[in-house]
Amino acid sequence: MRCPNCGYEESKVVDSRPSENHEAIRRRRECTKCGTRFTTYERREETPLLVVKKDGTKETFDRQKIMNGLVRATVKRNIDIRTLEGLIDSIESELRDNGIGEVSSQEIGNMVLKRLLVLDKVAYVRFASVYRAFKDVDEFSEELRSLAQ
């Protein structure tokens, strides 16, 4: 591992522990030439997770797209960004742990809705109104009635 200070290629590991989300190993290293300490992360190599869109096209899984939708759904709600990141982490972990290489955008949307229902019902309704694209007020009202039960 190259030292960020002097560029020397040899370092020793001083400390090693799992990252907060247990998705990587955090290593503290020390350059054997200049003594500078720096942090590196070791992650498993992952095969890309593909999302199949409604029109049949495929694209790689993009956490930021989910985060954008969640941020819009939780505007003016007292929900910490770390909570939203954890929600996305749980979805990605579930998909990867099940060995799924391809997943439909509808399935991802349903996974988000399931978690939002537990987290915040207002955010759930906001997300559902965009995701499910209600055609009229009656569909929206029906969704609200089902939540009230």
Side-chain angles (χ1 to χ4, degrees):
M1 187 58 57
R2 189 179 307 271
C3 172
N5 185 46
C6 70
Y8 193 63
E9 292 190 14
E10 293 193 28
S11 63
K12 63 181 179 179
V13 175
V14 179
D15 182 40
S16 184
R17 65 180 71 172
S19 64
E20 284 184 29
N21 61 6
H22 297 281
E23 294 292 323
I25 302 292
R26 179 184 180 273
R27 300 197 194 284
R28 287 293 293 160
R29 297 180 174 270
E30 184 177 304
C31 176
T32 55
K33 183 176 180 185
C34 71
T36 298
R37 288 189 174 203
F38 56 99
T39 303
T40 60
Y41 291 89
E42 180 181 317
R43 291 179 173 79
R44 71 176 176 227
E45 188 173 3
E46 306 221 357
T47 57
L49 181 60
L50 296 177
V51 177
V52 181
K53 308 297 278 180
K54 288 179 185 177
D55 65 1
T57 60
K58 296 177 184 178
E59 60 183 48
T60 57
F61 180 81
D62 186 354
R63 296 173 55 90
Q64 193 58 49
K65 283 187 175 185
I66 298 172
M67 180 59 83
N68 291 342
L70 288 172
V71 167
R72 284 192 297 271
T74 58
V75 167
K76 296 186 181 178
R77 304 298 298 163
N78 194 20
I79 299 174
D80 188 69
I81 195 79
R82 288 183 299 247
T83 303
L84 300 179
E85 288 170 350
L87 187 147
I88 297 169
D89 287 343
S90 73
I91 290 170
E92 187 173 9
S93 291
E94 182 179 331
L95 293 171
R96 292 194 185 280
D97 290 348
N98 291 335
I100 296 172
E102 289 185 4
V103 62
S104 71
S105 58
Q106 291 86 0
E107 187 173 342
I108 292 174
N110 288 332
M111 294 171 83
V112 170
L113 285 172
K114 183 174 129 186
R115 286 160 173 83
L116 277 178
L117 185 58
V118 174
L119 181 64
D120 186 287
K121 289 186 178 178
V122 172
Y124 169 89
V125 171
R126 288 176 177 173
F127 191 88
S129 68
V130 173
Y131 169 68
R132 292 200 176 140
F134 297 129
K135 292 176 184 62
D136 55 34
V137 175
D138 293 333
E139 285 184 15
F140 192 78
S141 296
E142 183 60 36
E143 187 70 31
L144 290 175
R145 273 192 292 282
S146 71
L147 277 178
Q149 295 174 353

